[in-house]
Amino acid sequence: MGTEGADIRVIAGRYRLEARLGRGGMGVVWRATDQLLGRRVAVKEIAQDNSLSAEEARQQRDRTLREARAVAQLSHPHIIVVHDVVVDDERPYIVMELIEGGSLADRISAGGPVGAQDVARIGVALLSALNAAHAAGVLHRDIKPANVLMESGSDRVVLTDFGIAQVAGATTLTETGSFVGSPEYTAPERMSGSRTGPESDLWSLGALLCTALSGESPFRRDSLGGILHAVVFAEFSPPDQAAPLLPVVQGLLERDPERRLGATEAERMLRTFLDTGRTPQASQVPASPPSATDRQHGYTPTHRDLPSQQPPAAAPPRAGQSTRGMLVAALLVAAMAGAGVSAAALLMNGDDDGDGRPGSSAPHTPADTSSTAAHTSSSATSTTSPAARTSSGAPNTSTAPAPALTTAPSGYRVARDPAGFSFAVPDGFRRDSQGERVFYLSPGDTFRIGVKVTDPEPGGPLAVMRRAAAKGPDTNPGYRDGRVTETTQGGRPAALWEFTWNGFNATEGARHTYDLCWEEGGRMYDVWVSAPVGKVREAREYFDVAVDTFVRT
């Protein structure tokens, strides 16, 4: 039992709590003395909620023990050392090494932005710590400036507070629906609850580095709903102060965890900056052939047929993982956190339009609906007359259409279009014909699936797409990151064009487009999907399903 005097309290008959160092969501940290060994320590007293049931209180103690086990596995100069775990008066305490000095959050609060050299040094230390933790199967899951300690009188950076860490193979104590962590530093995929891995810690680190460089979290908003919207949907605009380390910050804050910068590469880039004053671009890692697991999770011809010397344009979403799932989870988090109607409304608006644009069930005007078509291949924008068009080579000997599509994946329906094709489109999408172009539009027109069927053009699909890409800046405001990749569709030559652009007005916001063009049966087919940049994972899913199920009729 603990004893308590006017100024001190002794727990477990050994540790004298002397002064409060700080308070967090999981409890109070005390400066203390280990009376048995005669050394200074830090003791974390886990907060107790008297309203908890006996089972809930047990789960809380289990969480504490799990934290201690997780950190006790690790031996690294940049990870806090755990000395002991004790239970006193049914309350758990964690005894750790005492770091003399404040947190990174304290430093930012007192002095504002941190210089790029110091931020790079902090990043290298934390990446080294995360590499060690991840190798041991330990995820931190709450990386933020308040959990990074800066030792006075040395350059030592220490990662602490593994209070919600998840050890591989251990039971997840948050599966009941409660959300743990700091939303401003929580990766988008964690919002869905469908995936948490080392990549999620790296996202958090990217947000931390950006915060240190600018003095403020890039995802800070006035409400929880606003924060969740910023993390999951809104376009990320890095602050000017992040420029020296921008390749690292942007790489770590890539929303797609499959494309996110890895810890080893990020550490290499930061070390190069420390040595040279310049941050290199990330190395391009050759793509590997698809594995059985890839195919099981929907690895499609769109990805499989990309040449091995170039990485896929985007990784396929895992089963059950989409922006739709992130939105639902974000709404639940907002509701559980008491954010109320305002947060829910904000996020609901995000699902309707992705960028705050008022939803509308009315069809676009021809100029607006062609915002995905005007950008597509020159088969969608060509002014060449039909008589002038010629085939790029010998026609495909197979002219018979494939069997009609009869089934669609869950959440989709079969669209048998009078223009002479069928494919799977998401439930709730409506058809809108615009001359040669046929659109299938989501509610609010956030997602636009377009199809155009024309005569073949000179040079075949690859030449068509390259000509279209050359006109990209003229047809798509703010055109950037465009690339054309030679691929195949159903064994036939094809070309994939991917790019980002600003949308046709400020209200529409930045968008990303996937566009595939191929020839079949003496005709040229062009299928594309356009969506807000914050919803590229869901857009990629729609694109892959459309292409993989497309059948001419």
Side-chain angles (χ1 to χ4, degrees):
M1 296 292 292
T3 61
E4 188 169 356
D7 299 313
I8 63 171
R9 178 159 49 108
V10 177
I11 61 168
R14 174 175 177 177
Y15 301 104
R16 186 175 69 244
L17 310 186
E18 298 167 343
R20 181 182 296 175
L21 294 176
R23 177 186 294 272
M26 293 189 65
V28 178
V29 178
W30 298 86
R31 180 190 299 273
T33 297
D34 180 347
Q35 298 181 124
L36 179 63
L37 298 180
R39 64 180 175 184
R40 292 293 185 90
V41 294
V43 175
K44 183 176 181 180
E45 177 183 5
I46 305 303
Q48 276 190 317
D49 185 346
N50 294 331
S51 66
L52 294 179
S53 67
E55 175 60 21
E56 290 169 335
R58 183 194 64 79
Q59 288 190 347
Q60 188 180 65
R61 286 193 295 272
D62 287 348
R63 180 182 292 138
T64 301
L65 295 175
R66 184 182 63 177
E67 172 185 358
R69 293 192 193 102
V71 186
Q73 294 178 41
L74 308 174
S75 177
H76 191 277
H78 298 297
I79 296 177
I80 197 78
V81 175
V82 171
H83 295 310
D84 197 4
V85 180
V86 297
V87 177
D88 189 284
D89 196 18
E90 298 187 352
R91 184 186 297 259
Y93 296 81
I94 301 175
V95 182
M96 302 171 287
E97 66 172 317
L98 178 65
I99 304 296
E100 296 288 356
S103 69
L104 177 59
D106 295 332
R107 177 172 175 178
I108 295 171
S109 177
V114 180
Q117 284 283 331
D118 280 347
V119 172
R121 180 180 59 82
I122 292 168
V124 166
L126 295 179
L127 284 163
S128 178
L130 287 177
N131 263 327
H134 294 163
V138 177
L139 306 179
H140 190 284
R141 300 205 302 169
D142 196 23
I143 295 172
K144 58 185 179 182
N147 287 338
V148 176
L149 302 180
M150 316 291 290
E151 189 173 53
S152 300
S154 75
D155 291 334
R156 188 179 177 212
V157 175
V158 182
L159 182 59
T160 187
D161 204 351
F162 282 72
I164 57 172
Q166 175 180 291
V167 183
T171 301
T172 300
L173 297 182
T174 57
E175 290 173 351
T176 58
S178 60
F179 182 84
V180 289
S182 304
E184 290 178 48
Y185 299 93
T186 299
E189 66 271 14
R190 274 202 62 216
M191 295 296 185
S192 69
S194 62
R195 174 174 180 171
T196 297
E199 300 87 357
S200 299
D201 278 349
L202 295 176
W203 163 282
S204 302
L205 178 60
L208 178 147
L209 296 179
C210 194
T211 299
L213 287 164
S214 65
E216 184 177 23
S217 165
F219 304 109
R220 179 163 297 169
R221 300 295 186 271
D222 293 335
S223 66
L224 176 59
I227 292 171
L228 297 176
H229 185 276
V231 169
V232 177
F233 298 112
E235 182 178 11
F236 171 64
S237 299
D240 293 341
Q241 299 96 320
L245 304 179
L246 190 58
V248 176
V249 171
Q250 287 185 319
L252 293 174
L253 290 178
E254 163 62 52
R255 279 194 171 96
D256 185 343
E258 299 289 348
R259 301 176 67 180
R260 195 166 297 152
L261 189 64
T264 301
E265 180 66 1
E267 184 176 349
R268 180 193 70 82
M269 294 166 69
L270 290 177
R271 288 188 183 279
T272 300
F273 174 80
L274 290 173
D275 292 339
T276 68
R278 301 184 62 183
T279 303
Q281 295 296 320
S283 301
Q284 294 294 328
V285 181
S288 58
S291 65
T293 302
D294 290 327
R295 297 188 181 96
Q296 176 185 352
H297 289 295
Y299 197 88
T300 68
T302 304
H303 300 97
R304 182 163 55 248
D305 293 339
L306 291 172
S308 60
Q309 70 268 22
Q310 296 190 31
R318 303 264 180 194
Q321 182 179 16
S322 69
T323 307
R324 186 190 302 115
M326 293 181 188
L327 170 72
V328 173
L331 286 171
L332 290 175
V333 172
M336 287 187 293
V341 175
S342 60
L346 175 60
L347 287 171
M348 285 294 285
N349 287 338
D351 186 48
D352 288 340
D353 49 50
D355 44 30
R357 177 177 145 211
S360 172
S361 59
H364 284 264
T365 63
D368 189 24
T369 42
S370 63
S371 58
T372 53
H375 67 281
T376 58
S377 65
S378 51
S379 66
T381 59
S382 174
T383 58
T384 307
S385 66
R389 298 185 184 121
T390 60
S391 174
S392 59
N396 195 304
T397 56
S398 175
T399 59
L405 184 66
T406 58
T407 60
S410 176
Y412 293 77
R413 64 180 176 85
V414 176
R416 295 179 176 85
D417 199 279
F421 59 86
S422 63
F423 68 131
V425 301
D427 291 336
F429 278 47
R430 74 182 191 283
R431 184 181 187 273
D432 183 19
S433 178
Q434 296 289 324
E436 292 180 309
R437 305 179 183 94
V438 176
F439 289 89
Y440 285 84
L441 307 172
S442 69
D445 301 347
T446 303
F447 297 95
R448 306 167 189 161
I449 304 175
V451 180
K452 185 175 181 181
V453 184
T454 61
D455 293 331
E457 294 194 31
L462 185 60
V464 165
M465 286 301 199
R466 285 175 173 170
R467 289 195 292 268
K471 298 177 182 177
D474 298 327
T475 57
N476 303 277
Y479 176 86
R480 57 193 181 276
D481 300 331
R483 63 175 176 178
V484 175
T485 307
E486 187 173 14
T487 180
T488 62
Q489 167 67 2
R492 304 172 181 86
L496 174 67
W497 181 23
E498 181 181 355
F499 62 93
T500 302
W501 55 300
N502 287 346
F504 280 100
N505 52 62
T507 302
E508 180 166 79
R511 299 182 69 84
H512 195 79
T513 298
Y514 300 100
D515 188 351
L516 187 72
C517 179
W518 76 95
E519 291 183 21
E520 181 178 353
R523 302 288 280 167
M524 180 168 282
Y525 293 85
D526 191 15
V527 177
W528 64 92
V529 172
S530 172
V533 292
K535 298 192 175 187
V536 292
R537 288 187 65 81
E538 195 167 357
R540 185 72 198 213
E541 175 187 325
Y542 294 159
F543 177 70
D544 288 341
V545 171
V547 168
D548 294 345
T549 61
F550 192 94
V551 176
R552 64 186 181 91
T553 57

